[in-house]
């Protein structure tokens, strides 16, 4: 079980652990067992505005620290996270459901962003630009944008927090964080570790509760200069509208519907392994999950046979149990959506190759459908479930056109041996990120983000730091030539 010291059941405002003004709470449930883990304060607009005011008050002191000082704090926070890796992973599996091995990997991945931005804080370089006036010089500098709000999803309770909070703190911005009410304890534990490492009050605030009032308060308050959100496209559009009056800087990582393309010269064994890793990680509940599987006809029979064999080895169960590879869906509503998507596909002519049934509780069989087409929800919408939807294609140009008709463009995957084919294929996909001969692509040093209705802005690398900075142009006049 998770040590009591990491299980924080209060929110964090201005360095103080506190309850909701109303005294109301929300229960947090383990999706694998249905048992209540604990509860969190059901906060709203009033507490959110208090957190924003605390962040605004903390901003002058935090931004005046040198980049090196902010980096040193992040480095200490990184060390604390790594030291608590096992406890954090167990807490995550209890509240989110993913297998413990995946949770351990996520904690390492989350920590990598803290480490990266501890170093990148010192590299917020400006420029000198030749001026058109003989008595002047042009200089640009980068400054922190101000109070930043971060709204994170339930599927990656640690990584989505650090991928937003670490660059904001590195840039000199205090943060008001709203984690998902379904998986808040990992975020609260990370915040507790930051406080223990000496983070000044108000620099990181964590608000918990239902999203509507909290989100509206974050969008409406002019003290919040930046909002970073990861979640559905529908909610992202709502946040854009709500932020319009305050003309906030936004970065939005929204829905995905990633294509996974296997060309006929691909290594079938490697392609199957990459697909299974991408599709069934976190029970298919990832934004860059391989939702749409396109296999070229020449390799389709071999690939499908290998895929069925690989899927038959996937053990479904409680993520705390040894050997489990696929955990539960996050809640019963997700199970019901999964059933409806499969039935929609079958009603429209899809063939069920394997799986297709719910198990006990929130568990669902890994499922493979073939003969799918774009009129089916499993093809046109983000699935967020362990469903693979297989399309067999002949011509590469035709499948690219079909893939790009989607309004989403977060990630894509291509497998093939001939780079003369793969490179132009990857370039043609309308995605913000494309992995070639890999089933994963995210890391701390690369820009993560999408195009079209998958959002805008980038997280990770130097681009992630720039999301929390303003570029200021200084024109220095009155300089006498020597």
């Amino acid at each position: 079980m998770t040590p009591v010291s990491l299980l924080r059941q209060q929110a964090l405002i201005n360095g103080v652990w506190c309850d909701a003004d109303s005294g109301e709470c929300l229960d947090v449930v383990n999706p694998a067992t249905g048992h209540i883990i604990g509860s969190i304060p059901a906060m709203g607009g009033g507490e959110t505005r208090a957190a924003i005011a605390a962040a605004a008050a903390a901003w002058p002191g935090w931004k005046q620290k040198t980049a090196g000082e902010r980096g040193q704090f992040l480095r200490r926070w990184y060390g604390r996270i790594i030291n608590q890796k096992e406890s954090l992973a167990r807490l995550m599996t209890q509240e989110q459901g993913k297998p413990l091995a995946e949770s351990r990997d996520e904690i390492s991945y989350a920590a990598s962003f803290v480490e990266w931005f501890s170093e990148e804080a010192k590299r917020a370089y400006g420029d000198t630009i030749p001026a058109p006036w003989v008595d002047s010089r042009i200089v640009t500098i980068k400054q922190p944008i101000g109070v930043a709000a971060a709204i994170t999803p339930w599927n990656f309770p640690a990584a989505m927090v650090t991928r937003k909070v670490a660059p904001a703190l590195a840039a000199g911005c205090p943060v008001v964080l709203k984690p998902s009410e379904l998986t808040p304890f990992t975020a609260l534990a990370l915040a507790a570790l930051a406080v223990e490492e000496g983070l000044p009050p108000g620099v990181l605030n964590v608000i918990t509760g239902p999203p509507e009032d909290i989100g509206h308060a974050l969008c409406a308050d002019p003290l919040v200069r930046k909002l970073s959100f990861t979640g559905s496209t529908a909610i992202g559009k709502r946040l854009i509208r709500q932020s319009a009056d305050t003309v906030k800087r936004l970065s939005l990582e929204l829905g995905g519907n990633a294509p996974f393309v296997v060309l006929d010269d691909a290594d079938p064994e490697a392609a199957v392994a990459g697909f299974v890793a991408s599709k069934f990680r976190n029970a298919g509940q990832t934004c860059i999950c391989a939702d749409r599987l396109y296999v070229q006809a020449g390799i389709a029979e071999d690939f499908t046979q290998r895929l069925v064999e690989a899927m038959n080895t996937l053990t479904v169960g409680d993520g705390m149990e040894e050997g489990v590879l696929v955990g539960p869906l996050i809640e019963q509503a997700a199970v019901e959506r999964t059933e409806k998507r499969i039935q929609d596909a079958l009603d429209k002519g899809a063939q069920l190759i394997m799986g297709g049934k719910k198990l006990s509780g929130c568990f669902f069989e890994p499922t493979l459908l073939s003969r799918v087409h774009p009129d089916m929800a499993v093809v046109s919408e983000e699935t967020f479930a362990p469903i693979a939807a297989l399309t067999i294609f002949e011509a590469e140009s035709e499948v690219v056109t079909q893939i790009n008709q989607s309004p989403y463009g977060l990630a894509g995957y291509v497998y093939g041996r001939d780079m003369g084919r793969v490179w132009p294929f990857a370039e043609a996909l309308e995605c913000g990120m494309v992995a070639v001969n890999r089933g994963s692509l995210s890391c701390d040093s690369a820009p993560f983000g999408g195009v079209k209705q998958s959002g805008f802005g980038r997280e990770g690398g130097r681009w992630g730091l720039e999301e929390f900075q303003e570029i200021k142009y200084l024109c220095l006049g009155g300089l006498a030539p020597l």
Side-chain angles (χ1 to χ4, degrees), residues 16-28:
V16 177
W17 296 99
C18 52
D19 298 316
D21 293 342
S22 66
E24 295 181 2
C25 294
L26 296 176
D27 289 334
V28 180

Side-chain angles (χ1 to χ4, degrees), residues 43-371:
M43 292 179 162
E47 296 95 333
T48 305
R49 287 185 286 274
I52 294 169
W59 185 34
W62 185 247
K63 72 177 179 180
Q64 286 169 10
K65 289 187 179 296
T66 66
E69 289 172 327
R70 295 193 295 268
Q72 287 166 11
F73 161 75
L74 289 170
R75 184 71 194 191
R76 295 196 306 272
W77 189 27
Y78 162 77
R80 185 66 69 95
I81 294 170
I82 291 299
N83 288 338
Q84 294 284 350
K85 176 180 175 178
E86 185 65 18
S87 295
L88 288 166
R90 289 181 174 275
L91 176 58
M92 185 191 304
T93 291
Q94 289 174 40
E95 68 172 348
Q96 203 278 333
K98 66 181 61 177
L100 187 55
E102 288 189 22
S103 292
R104 292 181 180 122
D105 287 344
E106 184 181 337
I107 297 301
S108 296
Y109 174 56
S112 74
F113 287 100
V114 181
E115 181 183 36
W116 171 269
F117 287 109
S118 74
E119 301 161 350
E120 197 68 9
K122 296 182 291 186
R123 300 185 179 93
Y125 302 134
D127 296 287
T128 58
I129 303 166
W133 313 288
V134 69
D135 67 339
S136 301
R137 301 292 184 271
I138 294 174
V139 176
T140 64
I141 61 173
K142 294 178 181 177
Q143 296 181 312
I145 193 170
V147 174
I151 302 176
T152 57
W154 52 262
N155 58 337
F156 287 93
M160 298 302 96
V161 169
T162 59
R163 204 162 73 181
K164 299 176 189 298
V165 171
L169 297 184
C173 300
V175 179
V176 178
L177 169 66
K178 197 286 180 195
S180 170
E181 65 279 9
L182 298 176
T183 58
F185 289 136
T186 304
L188 290 167
L190 289 169
L193 296 178
V195 170
E196 290 173 9
E197 279 301 332
L199 188 66
V203 176
L204 175 59
N205 307 271
V206 186
I207 297 293
T208 63
E212 289 80 7
D213 290 346
I214 295 174
H216 185 269
L218 293 174
C219 292
D221 198 317
L223 289 175
V224 177
R225 307 265 186 92
K226 161 78 181 187
L227 173 63
S228 177
F229 169 75
T230 297
S232 72
T233 296
I235 299 301
K237 291 178 179 178
R238 183 187 304 175
L239 294 174
I240 292 172
R241 290 190 291 268
Q242 291 180 351
S243 298
D245 287 343
T246 54
V247 196
K248 249 178 255 309
R249 173 98 72 89
L250 300 175
S251 55
L252 306 174
E253 188 230 304
L254 307 178
N257 189 8
F260 192 103
V261 181
V262 183
L263 301 177
D264 56 14
D265 69 335
D267 177 342
E269 183 177 354
V272 166
F275 178 77
V276 169
S278 176
K279 172 70 258 185
F280 297 106
R281 182 172 61 125
N282 200 16
Q285 301 171 116
T286 76
C287 54
I288 57 173
C289 185
D291 278 340
R292 298 176 286 163
L293 174 59
Y294 298 91
V295 181
Q296 201 158 21
I299 199 176
E301 183 176 352
D302 184 21
F303 179 91
T304 304
Q305 181 179 341
R306 291 171 182 265
L307 177 58
V308 170
E309 292 172 357
M311 288 175 61
N312 276 322
T313 68
L314 297 175
T315 304
V316 179
D318 187 333
M320 297 297 288
E321 297 176 1
E322 193 70 28
V324 167
L325 297 175
V326 179
L329 296 176
I330 188 64
E331 56 185 351
Q332 276 297 324
V335 176
E336 294 168 7
R337 285 194 299 271
T338 302
E339 289 184 298
K340 289 179 181 178
R341 281 196 168 92
I342 292 173
Q343 191 59 52
D344 170 76
L346 296 176
D347 289 345
K348 294 174 180 176
Q351 177 185 4
L352 179 64
I353 296 179
M354 64 176 296
K357 296 178 182 178
K358 69 175 181 179
L359 304 172
S360 62
C362 292
F363 296 101
F364 207 95
E365 289 182 321
T367 299
L368 178 59
L369 296 166
S370 66
R371 296 207 303 249

